[in-house]
Amino acid sequence: MATLAWCIVVLVGLQWGDEGKGAVTDRIARLVRYVVRFQGGPNAGHTLWIGGQKIVLHMVPSGIMYAWIVNIIGAGCVLNLRALVNEITDLRRLGVKVTPKNLRISRDATVILPHHPLLDQAREERAGKKKIGTTGRGIGPAYEDRARRVAVRLGDLLNERRARRAVRRALTELELLLPDNGLTVDYVLNELAPWVAELRPYVCDTAAILHKAWERGEKVMCEGAQGTFLDPLFGTYPFVTSASTLAGAACTGLGFGPTWVDAVVGVLKAYTTRVGSGPFPTELTDEIGDYLQRVGVENGATTGRRRRGGWFDAVLAKRAVLLNGATHVVLTKLDVLSGLQTIRVCVGYEGVRAGTFPQDLDRATPIYEDLPGWDQDISACRSYDELPENCRRYVERIERLVGAKIGAIGVGPDREQVILRPRHWPFTE
Ligand code: IMP
């Protein structure tokens, strides 16, 4: 049995997002006092089922389902205020308690302004075939404003004079980019006013809450959004999102130092998917790709777009373990591979020396290793030993290739369909 005295754990996706982080998030969330989002915004999608009803969370952290958890949206996030209020309203309608006691929002977070989604979508339209495939939610333009030092912070909007000054600064900058755009300070303030009024009681200095939590030794789970290869520095640039998706971003997005992080849980799907454009060396455009898409129900939670599917890429996965400093690894959706006669794993790229990583993946041609599949339905398995031999061989081969032990394995869509391997999984009550 692995033991670990932990206070802060960061959970991240090790591929292109949509690794099926939900079940693992839920497992760890049950053990903590705080669930925290540190980057991204309404581009993320996290599907929950409440009493048979589906709800997709975009901004509210997934700990909202547990009454004892304080959920925090940190400074590194970008917020669509209207969408956030609607999300809270939808949760309440389903009987979930959401109050300023169990949801706290950073005053330092960046506000998505009404023109940000329009800019995002206009750019995509103009790029045509070369588009990034963004979610069109204004994520990029909002983070750009922050980097340009003209962003409006949520805290700015709580005071009339400060709000006016901040919005004016943002619009003056926009005027340079888009002359005669017609937007006025009053229009933007009026658009935001009802949502600011609703959210005001939730806004605070969330870094201070986390500092106190750490001093008291309370458990915190930092919930990553998107995935490693959508990171703007180390992802498949320029086909990436606009804020760092790596575990290190939890520190900068929340306001504490790296020495506080006790563990990093990386989530890998047993195959690979990607929504949006960009390189994907192991992509399958044949009937196996269709099979993975269909059996894995691979549609984006935010945009409903069909996810592209392909074989597991161990080169990427190993790189992701290192980029995040993952101390624990989870393999999800292993059941989706049941029934395939042969399962391929990418173990290198042609012409690329082992141990090195190409700058651009668009011309990377995978070298595959073929592993025998299994026929049995594994969705009812709850211990590692119950898995068919070929299935265990697949798991153990991945462990060797990525250089990390797999502590938990997802074998079905239900949150309880998880196999824990106690020797490699310290996150238990
Ligand atoms: P943006 O984050 O909307 O700017 O989109 C940039 C890229 O990240 C696009 O390829 C999106 O499809 C992708 N992306 C953004 N959020 C997610 C997510 O939560 N899961 C998977 N892909 C995402």
Side-chain angles (χ1 to χ4, degrees):
M1 175 74 90
T3 54
L4 177 76
W6 59 279
C7 171
I8 299 186
V9 56
V10 181
L11 189 135
V12 285
L14 298 182
Q15 290 150 318
W16 277 290
D18 311 309
E19 291 87 357
K21 296 186 272 294
V24 200
T25 309
D26 192 59
R27 283 275 159 171
I28 302 180
R30 294 174 199 174
L31 310 173
V32 305
R33 173 96 174 99
Y34 300 89
V35 175
V36 188
R37 277 281 304 273
F38 55 91
Q39 51 75 236
N43 48 350
H46 184 136
T47 308
L48 294 175
W49 291 89
I50 304 171
Q53 292 221 53
K54 180 177 160 180
I55 179 158
V56 182
L57 298 181
H58 297 289
M59 278 309 315
V60 175
S62 52
I64 203 73
M65 301 307 298
Y66 297 107
W68 65 88
I69 290 181
V70 178
N71 294 274
I72 292 178
I73 303 177
C77 296
V78 288
L79 312 168
N80 180 317
L81 305 188
R82 174 207 287 259
L84 182 53
V85 170
N86 288 340
E87 205 170 306
I88 294 171
T89 309
D90 286 349
L91 280 163
R92 288 209 183 112
R93 208 174 288 138
L94 292 174
V96 179
K97 188 186 83 169
V98 188
T99 72
K101 279 213 169 77
N102 71 344
L103 178 65
R104 312 298 285 147
I105 310 172
S106 173
R107 63 180 188 195
D108 299 302
T110 298
V111 175
I112 299 177
L113 297 179
H115 60 279
H116 287 152
L118 303 176
L119 263 178
D120 193 358
Q121 291 155 21
R123 276 187 191 143
E124 288 283 88
E125 239 163 71
R126 195 189 49 194
K129 275 198 186 131
K130 293 199 179 117
K131 69 178 182 191
I132 306 291
T134 72
T135 57
R137 303 291 196 265
I139 309 297
Y143 277 117
E144 283 163 35
D145 274 8
R146 188 74 188 212
R148 274 204 297 257
R149 294 159 291 196
V150 297
V152 175
R153 299 166 301 176
L154 183 55
D156 291 326
L157 296 176
L158 302 188
N159 167 289
E160 172 132 21
R161 270 185 51 207
R162 203 168 336 115
R164 196 161 275 284
R165 208 180 322 133
V167 171
R168 190 175 307 115
R169 194 174 47 198
L171 294 189
T172 306
E173 180 73 16
L174 180 69
E175 190 66 26
L176 284 177
L177 208 68
L178 272 182
D180 305 321
N181 58 64
L183 271 182
T184 65
V185 173
D186 283 325
Y187 172 81
V188 173
L189 287 174
N190 285 340
E191 279 284 298
L192 297 175
W195 319 115
V196 175
E198 291 270 348
L199 293 172
R200 180 180 287 271
Y202 299 83
V203 185
C204 66
D205 174 12
T206 53
I209 299 180
L210 292 169
H211 297 162
K212 284 214 185 75
W214 186 77
E215 278 162 15
R216 292 193 205 112
E218 290 174 320
K219 286 187 169 25
V220 178
M221 185 187 76
C222 310
E223 178 180 26
Q226 292 88 46
T228 296
F229 293 100
L230 290 171
D231 181 77
L233 296 182
F234 292 99
T236 44
Y237 187 83
F239 299 96
V240 292
T241 188
S242 310
S244 176
T245 56
L246 304 181
C251 300
T252 49
L254 297 170
F256 54 75
T259 49
W260 284 15
V261 176
D262 300 300
V264 175
V265 177
V267 185
L268 284 170
K269 185 146 57 181
Y271 49 98
T272 312
T273 59
R274 159 162 219 176
V275 259
S277 333
F280 181 174
T282 60
E283 181 169 15
L284 292 165
T285 48
D286 58 6
E287 70 279 9
I288 299 185
D290 288 345
Y291 178 88
L292 294 176
Q293 201 279 332
R294 188 167 32 83
V295 181
V297 196
E298 298 291 355
N299 296 307
T302 297
T303 55
R305 287 177 291 176
R306 180 190 159 97
R307 296 177 187 144
R308 300 151 67 193
W311 296 119
F312 186 85
D313 187 331
V315 182
L316 284 181
K318 180 169 188 177
R319 172 95 169 162
V321 166
L322 297 172
L323 289 171
N324 291 286
T327 52
H328 300 82
V329 174
V330 177
L331 191 69
T332 63
K333 299 184 99 164
L334 187 58
D335 56 301
V336 174
L337 299 180
S338 299
L340 293 173
Q341 208 171 19
T342 302
I343 303 174
R344 309 194 93 183
V345 176
C346 168
V347 295
Y349 303 126
E350 276 174 22
V352 176
R353 220 167 359 105
T356 60
F357 194 81
Q359 173 155 35
D360 294 311
L361 283 179
D362 42 3
R363 275 190 288 275
T365 308
I367 301 168
Y368 286 113
E369 186 174 299
D370 287 351
L371 296 166
W374 58 91
D375 276 332
Q376 299 91 324
D377 175 5
I378 60 170
S379 59
C381 296
R382 290 295 173 274
S383 76
Y384 188 64
D385 296 339
E386 286 171 60
L387 291 174
E389 191 187 342
N390 283 351
C391 189
R392 278 181 279 132
R393 278 172 67 186
Y394 183 70
V395 172
E396 286 157 31
R397 185 68 187 125
I398 287 179
E399 285 184 324
R400 279 198 301 281
L401 288 167
V402 307
K405 288 288 181 190
I406 291 168
I409 299 169
V411 291
D414 194 281
R415 262 135 219 269
E416 302 310 317
Q417 288 177 293
V418 177
I419 293 174
L420 296 180
R421 295 169 83 201
R423 277 181 59 201
H424 310 301
W425 191 254
F427 308 101
T428 45
E429 270 145 286

